[in-house]
Amino acid sequence: MGMNDMIRFFRQMSGKIGSNIYAGMPTHSNPQQMSFLRQLQKEMKEVNSLDSPLEELPVVVFDLETTGFYPEKGDRIISIGAIKVIGSTILENEVFYSLINPEISVPPDILSLTSITEEELLTAPKTSQALMEFLNFIGSSVLVAHHATHEQAFMKKFTSSHLRLNFEHRVIDTSFLVRIFQPIVNPLPLEQICLECGIEVKNRHHALGDSKMAAKIWAFYIKKAREQGYQNLREVYEYLSLKR
């Protein structure tokens, strides 16, 4: 399959056909939502990402900005950013970004850190709408995130509470491939890994900016893993399990 064919396949699988400017899907029709979510769950059961060749593996690298670290204690998502990658090729125009109205007061230090204003959040989509648009963007793709346990916890909590959906996407941490080449005891800050890989730190603590940097890290290490002889994710999992 050529690169253009893979890109077309990626768009079809994720519900993004046609324009590179993501328009989102209408969320006012509950029957359509339910049909889409049922189809997504069916696709999730059929996806076999472990044996897909690394150079052809489609992933969505994403990042969440949140009001804090604990979704079970009331913290909320305030923005989602994501970008698509096939193997080590970043699809620069295949991006998603949305602010989210958390419907609670956001701590001033979070607003300052993310450069998001209360006014922007007040007019932003509600959580359920933004999550539906994000799920439509990602389809059944494998997800990648930096410090992925944070993103996964929030996605599980809010897809369950707002969409009544069990979040079953495979979520891989950026450190997954890094561990092939160096032991990681504690997760490294995003900017430190960027520095080690020669990646420019730009738009830090912006969900799309962080996603783009994490995508470059993923692409960098996919290329290194291929050079090292790894064919697919299954071989990486098997190697890392033997190292423990």
Side-chain angles (χ1 to χ4, degrees), residues 31-56:
Q32 287 181 347
Q33 285 186 37
M34 294 302 296
S35 175
F36 167 72
L37 293 175
R38 279 196 299 269
Q39 180 62 28
L40 181 60
Q41 286 181 313
K42 181 174 181 290
E43 287 180 8
M44 289 300 301
K45 293 174 183 176
E46 297 171 353
V47 167
N48 176 21
S49 57
L50 288 180
D51 296 312
S52 177
L54 287 180
E55 69 269 24
E56 298 175 9

Side-chain angles (χ1 to χ4, degrees), residues 59-196:
V59 303
V60 176
V61 185
F62 80 114
D63 181 77
L64 306 178
E65 297 298 337
T66 59
T67 62
F69 297 104
Y70 307 106
E72 298 299 334
K73 294 182 179 180
D75 285 320
R76 306 284 181 89
I77 304 170
I78 58 173
S79 66
I80 305 177
I83 186 167
K84 295 180 180 179
V85 182
I86 296 176
S88 58
T89 302
I90 298 171
L91 309 185
E92 297 288 354
N93 294 323
E94 302 287 336
V95 297
F96 177 95
Y97 180 71
S98 179
L99 292 172
I100 297 179
N101 183 347
E103 301 180 82
I104 62 168
S105 178
V106 179
D109 59 328
I110 297 296
L111 295 174
S112 175
L113 182 70
T114 60
S115 300
I116 296 171
T117 68
E118 288 182 326
E119 291 74 21
E120 288 174 321
L121 293 176
L122 284 172
T123 58
K126 300 287 178 65
T127 301
S128 57
Q129 179 186 346
L131 286 178
M132 281 297 295
E133 292 175 353
F134 181 56
L135 288 173
N136 192 45
F137 177 75
I138 66 177
S140 55
S141 298
V142 172
L143 298 176
V144 174
H146 187 69
H147 297 171
T149 52
H150 175 260
E151 271 68 23
Q152 191 166 27
F154 275 87
M155 289 300 296
K156 282 186 174 182
K157 165 68 176 174
F158 288 103
T159 54
S160 175
S161 63
H162 285 70
L163 302 178
R164 296 181 182 176
L165 174 74
N166 289 329
F167 184 71
E168 297 175 344
H169 286 72
R170 183 183 296 277
V171 182
I172 303 176
D173 196 284
T174 49
S175 66
F176 175 68
L177 294 176
V178 181
R179 290 204 305 273
I180 298 173
F181 305 97
Q182 62 186 56
I184 296 179
V185 179
N186 297 311
L188 298 174
L190 183 65
E191 49 266 56
Q192 185 173 337
I193 300 182
C194 284
L195 185 66
E196 292 177 1

